[in-house]
Amino acid sequence: MTEANAPVTQDVLTIPRKLPETGKVNLVGLTREQLRDALIEAGTPEKQAKMRLGQVWQWIYYWGVRDFAQMTNLSKDYRALLTEKFEIGLPEIVTRQVSEDGTRKYLLRIAGGHEVETVYIPEEGRGTLCVSSQVGCTLTCTFCHTGTQKLVRNLTAGEIVGQVLVARDDLGEWPEPGQPKPEERLVSNVVLMGMGEPLYNFDNVRDAMQVVMDGEGISLSRRRITLSTSGVVPMIARAAEEIGCLLAISFHATTNETRDKLVPINKKWNIAELLQALRDYPRLSNSERITFEYVMLKGVNDSDDDARRLVKLIRGIPAKINLIPFNEWPGAPYQRSDWERIEAFADIIYKAGYASPIRTPRGEDIMAACGQLKSATERARKSKAQIAAEAGL
Ligand code: SAH
Ligand code: SF4
């Protein structure tokens, strides 16, 4: 294996849908088409399949029902059939931590005993759910805690949708029959910024987002979903075409030399190739700007020259730049840039005509901030020296 393609090896697996524990098929995360097929295979007459699909879909995703017995517009026999063949299976909450600032972090157990983290961030008038797409990550960005986790597997679409359902359950965000719909949503936005590289688990992420966007269920608009990628160039256009969501790019450096170290996938697709893919992004427009995420690392990527190079590089791309003060984790080989440095950097970007919000770290006291996620399945950490060596420090 050459070094250039080493960081992007995809030796990951997706656990089959039929769970060995129960032998039942989990309906959560099936696309409409897959759900229809499953219902027919279980004995639903084809002529009724469309109607049954609509009913079951609404119970699961509109009303948040978890038990077939509560699906009261279905006959008793049909409910019994569904109970026999299927389940509405959600990840199990192992721990739930609530930060001083209201951020909630869930550690969830999924099939095979693996664990992932999901973070809910309440804000004024909105709430963002940060969803994981993989257990761990095959990429090894040197500033990211998830990147130090060795075990990696893709999440199923059901496990991705399941994170949204778990959060809505915990927040009590399902309509009450006969009650008016609340104006404000608790989970109003979904960001694919948890553990994993979503574009390395594309099909499952796409199917999951189709379920989340479906107008007869959770009904989240495509503009309220943001997919963050470290730069899997060949898959970027498909995110626009098949999901239609907004895009965020983990940019983090303005020269290939530095980006190679911070975001090793850059060795495979460099800055120029990445920017070209963004210029070609099918949904690019002023109202749907691309977010450039830029983690501020002291003395590494935070100089005035970096800021100037950054605005020069992205010229012509409708963009906003999100500056993320580095979130430390035990053994991390970097430090957060000083606040004055971050502000000076932001100022250069702002004067060049870009919005340059500095992301306030949320949930730091419970290690829920960006890049701090790492599940307990695999706590065995690389040594500080090992990480530093890999970072080329
Ligand atoms: N794998 C995807 C999505 C998950 S990471 C990606 O890399 O885009 C979500 C964001 O948090 C990315 O921009 C990532 O670079 C950033 N991040 C990772 N570790 C961080 C840390 N320790 N401090 C601040 N941001 C971090
Ligand atoms: Fe993976 Fe994203 Fe972390 Fe890089 S920053 S290791 S791509 S989760």
Side-chain angles (χ1 to χ4, degrees):
M1 198 189 299
T2 64
E3 206 198 307
N5 63 26
V8 289
T9 317
Q10 292 187 68
D11 54 347
V12 293
L13 64 148
T14 304
I15 297 290
R17 169 157 293 279
K18 214 161 200 170
L19 303 176
E21 288 102 56
T22 62
K24 293 183 183 184
V25 174
N26 186 7
L27 297 187
V28 175
L30 295 184
T31 60
R32 277 184 173 268
E33 203 171 42
Q34 290 167 338
L35 180 53
R36 182 177 175 274
D37 291 348
L39 293 177
I40 291 171
E41 202 179 309
T44 308
E46 277 216 49
K47 273 197 293 190
Q48 291 179 13
K50 192 168 173 229
M51 181 180 67
R52 297 288 174 237
L53 162 66
Q55 290 169 321
V56 172
W57 189 277
Q58 277 208 349
W59 282 119
I60 300 178
Y61 297 116
Y62 183 83
W63 296 108
V65 161
R66 303 280 173 262
D67 183 352
F68 296 108
Q70 288 172 27
M71 301 187 175
T72 46
N73 57 355
L74 304 177
S75 74
K76 242 180 159 177
D77 288 351
Y78 193 61
R79 283 185 256 164
L81 175 76
L82 294 178
T83 309
E84 185 197 321
K85 304 272 186 188
F86 301 121
E87 64 173 20
I88 303 168
L90 262 52
E92 176 199 339
I93 300 184
V94 181
T95 57
R96 168 182 169 281
Q97 287 168 278
V98 183
S99 157
E100 285 160 9
D101 66 16
T103 301
R104 295 179 186 210
K105 181 169 89 169
Y106 307 97
L107 177 67
L108 304 177
R109 184 170 297 132
I110 54 175
H114 301 297
E115 288 170 352
V116 286
E117 289 175 322
T118 305
V119 177
Y120 175 70
I121 307 149
E123 285 166 289
E124 199 59 40
R126 60 188 240 158
T128 302
L129 193 68
C130 181
V131 167
S132 293
S133 56
Q134 298 183 308
V135 176
C137 184
T138 50
L139 300 169
T140 49
C141 303
T142 45
F143 53 89
C144 174
H145 205 198
T146 307
T148 66
Q149 185 171 329
K150 289 189 197 111
L151 178 82
V152 179
R153 91 154 163 85
N154 279 337
L155 297 191
T156 62
E159 290 161 348
I160 299 170
V161 173
Q163 295 172 62
V164 179
L165 300 185
V166 163
R168 291 193 57 162
D169 281 358
D170 186 46
L171 296 163
E173 194 184 21
W174 296 106
E176 292 279 339
Q179 298 291 317
K181 233 175 152 180
E183 302 246 311
E184 219 168 76
R185 276 179 175 253
L186 297 175
V187 177
S188 62
N189 294 65
V190 165
V191 294
L192 287 149
M193 295 187 186
M195 298 163 70
E197 168 49 60
L199 293 186
Y200 273 166
N201 186 15
F202 186 79
D203 290 358
N204 290 319
V205 165
R206 176 202 53 212
D207 289 353
M209 292 305 109
Q210 295 293 355
V211 171
V212 168
M213 290 186 290
D214 191 286
E216 284 173 39
I218 300 167
S219 196
L220 216 61
S221 134
R222 62 170 187 85
R223 286 157 162 259
R224 292 191 172 269
I225 298 174
T226 303
L227 183 151
S228 174
T229 178
S230 57
V232 185
V233 164
M235 301 301 289
I236 285 178
R238 288 185 65 190
E241 284 153 5
E242 297 177 40
I243 308 173
C245 56
L246 305 185
L247 193 64
I249 301 293
S250 294
F251 205 60
H252 306 320
T254 59
T255 63
N256 282 319
E257 197 195 346
T258 305
R259 197 163 191 270
D260 280 352
K261 284 183 195 146
L262 298 180
V263 191
I265 200 177
N266 194 69
K267 292 187 227 164
K268 184 136 183 151
W269 295 291
N270 65 23
I271 291 179
E273 291 167 293
L274 174 58
L275 290 172
Q276 192 52 49
L278 301 182
R279 290 184 204 282
D280 296 340
Y281 194 62
R283 281 203 182 271
L284 200 54
S285 73
N286 266 324
S287 62
E288 295 185 31
R289 289 174 293 170
I290 290 177
T291 301
F292 284 79
E293 297 165 277
Y294 198 97
V295 62
M296 299 298 292
L297 305 170
K298 192 176 198 161
V300 175
N301 64 353
D302 61 352
S303 69
D304 286 354
D305 280 347
D306 280 305
R308 288 190 206 103
R309 267 196 301 268
L310 177 59
V311 292
K312 214 166 147 195
L313 280 170
I314 67 170
R315 195 166 286 159
I317 303 177
K320 58 183 161 199
I321 298 164
N322 209 332
L323 299 178
I324 317 174
F326 174 59
N327 294 311
E328 303 205 355
W329 37 272
Y334 300 105
Q335 287 173 305
R336 179 181 291 184
S337 305
D338 294 333
W339 196 250
E340 303 80 63
R341 186 85 298 274
I342 299 179
E343 284 189 327
F345 195 100
D347 199 48
I348 292 174
I349 290 165
Y350 179 73
K351 289 201 171 113
Y354 292 96
S356 57
I358 301 168
R359 193 185 287 173
T360 340
R362 298 290 303 263
E364 273 188 303
D365 53 331
I366 55 168
M367 286 276 288
C370 300
Q372 291 185 316
L373 304 186
K374 174 168 172 167
S375 64
T377 340
E378 204 268 327
R379 281 290 180 207
R381 223 171 260 137
K382 293 182 189 176
S383 71
K384 202 168 181 171
Q386 218 177 337
I387 295 165
E390 284 170 20
L393 295 174

